[in-house]
């Protein structure tokens, strides 16, 4: 009995020690859990990472926009008519190579006209600033060669505004500027089959239109056609055929070419591929815009 009692008494302290040890382990775990759960999140690091990602995204977006802005006006097989991105452009499909003679007028469907039958002699489009209004039929022929014609209402565009338009034309191949009496808007831009009317010389769409359509081989019936006056006796830049304000009469050539006395087109060479040595060289000036073909030598 004594030995049994002794054994029972010895076991009690051991149980208490085990219990105390377990309690200590649980307390330590609870303490660690408390520390983990109360440890603050690294908000500074998180914010910094977010800021870096936002900055990188902004830089990428800015670069993408800048590249797009520079390339969207470049003429290519994949972007044959950049002017589709310009608000306000009016487009009409016209047949080219319909020629009349110098005694006839055309009953144009638009004012200013930007396509349709035209004189066999084109207006000089070597960056010429005309001080007087020019006959429509000659101006339209220049459009057929890839020219952009800027017309303005002389009662509304003067002084600084006119100087700004001149700066966009002078010395630039395949461009021309002229007054257009009675124009319903201050400014009207024409290329073959395209027109854009504007209120201000400060409108950025002027440059967009020129970049999109000047010498655009996909929108021009005769890309690379000559711009210099082939025969000064027929078209004198210093004294061009005058604009006629009165509506054409019943004998005017229709838009489908009905009634035309076929005038010879001097803009597209029909001679052999090798030009004669005495061919008139094209006038000097800025090279054609993107997508243009070089002017033929005759």
């Amino acid at each position: 009995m004594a030995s049994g009692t002794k054994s029972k008494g010895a076991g009690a302290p051991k149980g208490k020690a085990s219990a105390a040890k377990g309690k200590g382990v649980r307390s330590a775990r609870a303490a660690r859990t408390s520390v983990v759960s109360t440890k603050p999140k690294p908000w500074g690091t998180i914010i910094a990472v977010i800021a870096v990602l936002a900055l990188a995204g902004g830089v990428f977006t800015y670069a993408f926009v800048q590249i797009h802005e520079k390339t969207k006006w470049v003429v290519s097989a994949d972007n044959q008519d950049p002017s589709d991105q310009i608000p306000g452009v009016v487009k009409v499909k016209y047949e080219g190579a319909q020629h009349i003679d110098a005694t006839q007028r055309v009953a144009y469907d638009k004012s200013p006209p930007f396509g349709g039958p035209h004189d066999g002699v084109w207006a000089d489009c070597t960056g010429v600033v005309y001080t007087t209004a020019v006959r429509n039929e000659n101006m339209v022929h220049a459009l057929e060669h890839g020219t952009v014609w800027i017309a303005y209402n002389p009662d509304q565009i003067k002084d600084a505004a006119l100087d700004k338009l001149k700066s966009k034309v002078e010395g630039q191949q395949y461009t021309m500027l002229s007054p257009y009496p009675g124009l319903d808007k201050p400014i009207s831009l024409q290329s073959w089959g395209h027109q854009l009317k504007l209120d201000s010389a400060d409108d950025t769409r002027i440059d967009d239109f020129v970049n999109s359509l000047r010498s655009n081989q996909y929108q021009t019936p005769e890309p690379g056609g000559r711009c210099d006056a082939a025969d000064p006796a027929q078209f004198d830049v210093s004294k061009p055929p005058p604009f006629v304000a009165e509506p054409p009469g019943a004998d005017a050539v229709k838009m489908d070419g009905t009634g035309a006395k076929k005038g010879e087109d001097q803009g597209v060479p029909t001679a052999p591929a090798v030009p004669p040595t005495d061919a008139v060289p094209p006038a000097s000036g800025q090279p054609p815009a993107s997508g243009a073909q070089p002017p033929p030598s005759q």
Side-chain angles (χ1 to χ4, degrees):
M1 291 292 293
S3 61
T5 303
K6 183 178 180 181
S7 176
K8 183 177 180 180
K14 184 176 181 181
K16 291 180 179 181
S18 297
K21 182 178 180 181
K23 185 177 180 181
V25 171
R26 288 194 297 272
S27 298
R29 288 177 179 172
R32 285 197 299 270
T33 302
S34 176
V35 170
V36 171
S37 62
T38 58
K39 184 178 180 181
K41 291 184 178 181
W43 289 111
T45 302
I46 293 173
I47 292 173
V49 171
I50 292 174
V52 170
L53 292 175
L55 178 61
V59 170
F60 175 80
T61 301
Y62 177 79
F64 176 81
V65 170
Q66 292 302 306
I67 293 173
H68 177 67
E69 285 297 315
K70 290 180 179 180
T71 60
K72 71 178 182 179
W73 309 120
V74 176
V75 178
S76 68
D78 296 327
N79 190 25
Q80 297 186 5
D81 191 354
S83 74
D84 286 338
Q85 304 173 79
I86 304 174
V89 172
V90 174
K91 297 175 64 173
V92 178
K93 185 174 180 60
Y94 292 112
E95 181 183 349
Q98 298 185 79
H99 302 118
I100 66 172
D101 68 23
T103 65
Q104 294 186 291
R105 297 185 65 193
V106 177
Y108 285 115
D109 58 344
K110 304 292 182 183
S111 180
F114 54 97
H118 48 269
D119 197 285
V121 176
W122 63 92
D124 190 303
C125 44
T126 57
V128 177
V129 173
Y130 292 98
T131 57
T132 60
V134 184
R135 179 171 173 254
N136 282 330
E137 289 77 5
N138 299 97
M139 299 297 267
V140 171
H141 193 158
L143 301 185
E144 189 181 43
H145 290 189
T147 297
V148 169
W149 168 25
I150 303 178
Y152 64 93
N153 187 321
D155 295 327
Q156 297 176 298
I157 298 296
K158 302 176 181 179
D159 304 324
L162 181 56
D163 289 340
K164 180 162 287 189
L165 294 181
K166 289 179 179 179
S167 70
K168 298 178 184 298
V169 172
E170 291 176 325
Q172 302 293 320
Q173 286 282 356
Y174 296 98
T175 54
M176 53 191 185
L177 173 72
S178 73
Y180 200 89
L183 184 61
D184 59 348
K185 284 281 189 177
I187 300 168
S188 182
L189 288 78
Q190 288 70 227
S191 71
W192 187 269
H194 299 72
Q195 186 174 70
L196 175 63
K197 293 188 175 183
L198 302 171
D199 294 316
S200 171
D202 295 321
D203 198 310
T204 58
R205 287 176 291 175
I206 295 176
D207 290 339
D208 296 340
F209 188 95
V210 174
N211 291 333
S212 298
L213 296 166
R214 185 169 68 107
S215 293
N216 184 326
Q217 62 180 323
Y218 300 103
Q219 305 301 320
T220 303
E222 297 176 3
R226 284 178 60 174
C227 257
D228 60 312
D231 186 351
Q234 293 182 303
F235 190 92
D236 184 348
V237 178
S238 64
K239 191 178 180 181
F243 169 79
V244 181
E246 292 76 16
D251 60 343
V253 177
K254 306 298 187 292
M255 286 301 293
D256 62 1
T258 302
K261 299 175 183 178
K262 302 297 182 181
E264 180 182 355
D265 179 12
Q266 302 179 35
V268 180
T270 56
V274 178
T277 56
D278 60 346
V280 179
S284 60
Q286 295 293 328
S290 299
Q293 298 178 3
S297 57
Q298 67 168 11

